[in-house]
Amino acid sequence: MFAIPIFANEISNKEAVNFHKFLPNGDCFTVFFTQKGFFQGEEENYKGVLERFSKDRWKVVYFTNPPFEVSVKGFYITLGYRGEEKQTLDRREYKNPILEVLFHLNRLEELFEIKPLNGNRYLLIPKGELSQYVEKAILEVDRDGKPKRIEVFGGEDNYLIIDISKIVPACGGNKIGNP
């Protein structure tokens, strides 16, 4: 299995991490990212945007041609290419670890045990069912504590890098179409 070397002196198992929220306060924000995946020798690159509208409503758009959209409302996930027929699935049955990481950016501690590494880096050890798909992840944050890179490892020649270029609050203000 592929693994980044982790040295014993980098992590203190006794050290508890008081993990604060990385993303803007409130229930809604927008995250712009690039995603580079390496799967069994093949490389895939995408640009995308994640929008959180409320606690249980999300949308991810990958800028492919046509765009690939993933919408979540409660326990249901709808996905497909814009302008084409989309598929709706029960999120509890559709296991996509990358989407779960994106959907939990503001509460990574629900999916991972978090341990500090050197500098602004954290080792994320998957909890529960996610551990069947993900070996570990490395989170890098900027000096303000906002995520800027997440590397997700799923086994030999199977990993993903998400580079976050911008995070903006999306709550409040005047919303067109809403009273």
Side-chain angles (χ1 to χ4, degrees):
M1 298 196 110
F2 178 78
I4 289 180
I6 303 291
F7 301 101
N9 62 352
E10 287 184 305
I11 301 172
S12 169
N13 289 329
K14 296 177 184 174
E15 185 176 352
V17 177
N18 185 6
F19 219 57
H20 61 283
K21 289 187 176 185
F22 284 128
L23 300 174
N25 290 331
D27 280 334
C28 42
F29 49 82
T30 303
V31 178
F32 297 88
F33 65 91
T34 57
Q35 177 177 308
K36 185 182 288 190
F38 301 91
F39 304 101
Q40 299 171 350
E42 299 291 322
E43 182 179 333
E44 298 177 346
N45 296 298
Y46 301 104
K47 288 186 180 218
V49 63
L50 162 72
E51 297 176 278
R52 179 180 166 151
F53 303 109
S54 68
K55 181 179 173 184
D56 67 346
R57 256 185 80 226
W58 301 83
K59 184 173 188 175
V60 176
V61 177
Y62 289 99
F63 300 119
T64 56
N65 188 15
F68 188 80
E69 300 174 329
V70 180
S71 298
V72 172
K73 185 170 185 179
F75 290 113
Y76 295 98
I77 186 166
T78 302
L79 49 100
Y81 289 98
R82 187 178 291 164
E84 296 179 11
E85 189 174 332
K86 296 185 178 165
Q87 185 176 14
T88 299
L89 306 163
D90 187 315
R91 216 174 125 202
R92 295 165 289 196
E93 295 173 14
Y94 177 76
K95 304 299 179 193
N96 186 314
I98 302 312
L99 289 175
E100 289 304 313
V101 169
L102 286 172
F103 295 153
H104 286 82
L105 276 177
N106 65 327
R107 54 190 201 286
L108 287 169
E109 67 279 359
E110 290 180 14
L111 293 180
F112 297 99
E113 179 183 340
I114 301 168
K115 297 184 177 194
L117 294 171
N118 53 359
N120 292 338
R121 295 179 50 201
Y122 297 87
L123 172 65
L124 307 177
I125 302 167
K127 297 179 187 176
E129 194 173 0
L130 187 64
S131 65
Q132 296 175 30
Y133 309 99
V134 174
E135 289 180 355
K136 67 182 174 192
I138 305 291
L139 170 67
E140 186 177 340
V141 298
D142 66 15
R143 65 176 164 242
D144 295 326
K146 292 182 182 163
K148 65 181 197 179
R149 173 178 265 208
I150 301 174
E151 300 175 40
V152 181
F153 299 89
E156 187 174 335
D157 294 329
N158 186 359
Y159 64 98
L160 182 88
I161 299 169
I162 300 171
D163 284 314
I164 298 170
S165 57
K166 188 173 169 184
I167 301 170
V168 293
C171 291
N174 213 356
K175 295 184 180 176
I176 298 173
N178 292 336

